[in-house]
Amino acid sequence: EAGGGGVRIVFLDLDGVVVPFGSYADTDLGLIRSSPHAHLDLLVQKTPAGPAALLRQLADTAEARFVLISSWRKAFPMSFNQAFLRRLGLLDRCHDDWCAPFRFSSHKGHDIGAWLGEHKTVRQRDCLVLDDEELGLRESYGFKRLAHIRPVPNIGFAHGDLACALALWKIVEAVP
């Protein structure tokens, strides 16, 4: 458990973390964007099982909860994002306030800051950002204790990322 009885939070991006780049063709993406709910099965079918399985293992082992920071917050209806996360077995591992607020002209660092500002009992050192992009969290946003793991975008969250996340929280776990 997180120090001081708090909760561990994983700020989660989807593209390049849960859904590796190249998982689906541009034509698939066009279909999904045109009618997300009608093409949920297609997206789930094209999403490799490995990253989601390892993310479930991270949440269960670390007693952590996910908070969505993905651009999908703006690109798709929240109900679609919930359905997608549910199908991957991730929604029930999300925080009750599972989606960081998306501000106009939003940057993920601002969104994380806004979410943390609304959850003052959550400490930066109990948080982890999983995003394949460099976000400038320390330099641009002043997060001194917020860890950031950048999965390889065409692979997604992998065994090495899981081991790194658990090590950051000083959790000893046999990782296959």
Side-chain angles (χ1 to χ4, degrees):
E1 184 171 297
V7 61
R8 290 190 179 101
I9 296 295
V10 177
F11 291 103
L12 183 64
D13 184 31
L14 294 177
D15 286 323
V17 178
V18 178
V19 182
F21 289 114
S23 296
Y24 45 81
D26 288 342
T27 53
D28 296 335
L29 183 58
L31 288 172
I32 295 164
R33 286 183 187 238
S34 70
S35 184
H37 287 284
H39 295 95
L40 178 61
D41 288 340
L42 173 65
L43 179 61
V44 171
Q45 175 189 8
K46 298 279 184 165
T47 301
L54 291 170
L55 287 165
R56 290 190 302 270
Q57 184 178 347
L58 171 62
D60 295 347
T61 302
E63 297 179 5
R65 293 284 172 236
F66 297 114
V67 173
L68 190 65
I69 61 166
S70 174
S71 60
W72 289 31
R73 295 171 294 157
K74 187 72 172 167
F76 298 111
M78 285 298 111
S79 59
F80 174 79
N81 292 330
Q82 286 176 313
F84 179 64
L85 292 171
R86 183 177 299 109
R87 293 279 297 272
L88 297 181
L90 298 175
L91 187 62
D92 63 342
R93 290 167 173 89
C94 286
H95 189 276
D96 289 341
D97 188 8
W98 65 278
C99 189
F102 192 97
R103 308 286 188 221
F104 183 72
S105 299
S106 190
H107 295 280
K108 291 177 183 175
H110 290 143
D111 300 345
I112 292 168
W115 193 93
L116 287 170
E118 295 170 6
H119 301 86
K120 301 222 185 276
T121 59
V122 177
R123 301 176 306 183
Q124 284 185 36
R125 69 174 170 243
D126 294 329
C127 297
L128 169 65
V129 176
L130 293 178
D131 196 313
D132 60 297
E133 297 177 14
E134 177 53 55
L135 302 177
L137 295 171
R138 284 183 174 76
E139 303 80 6
S140 300
Y141 301 101
F143 294 121
K144 304 297 184 212
R145 294 178 177 231
L146 190 61
H148 181 188
I149 294 176
R150 294 179 60 194
V152 177
N154 64 336
I155 296 173
F157 192 71
H159 288 282
D161 302 317
L162 173 61
C164 184
L166 294 175
L168 283 168
W169 281 327
K170 298 176 178 34
I171 296 171
V172 179
E173 172 78 3
V175 180

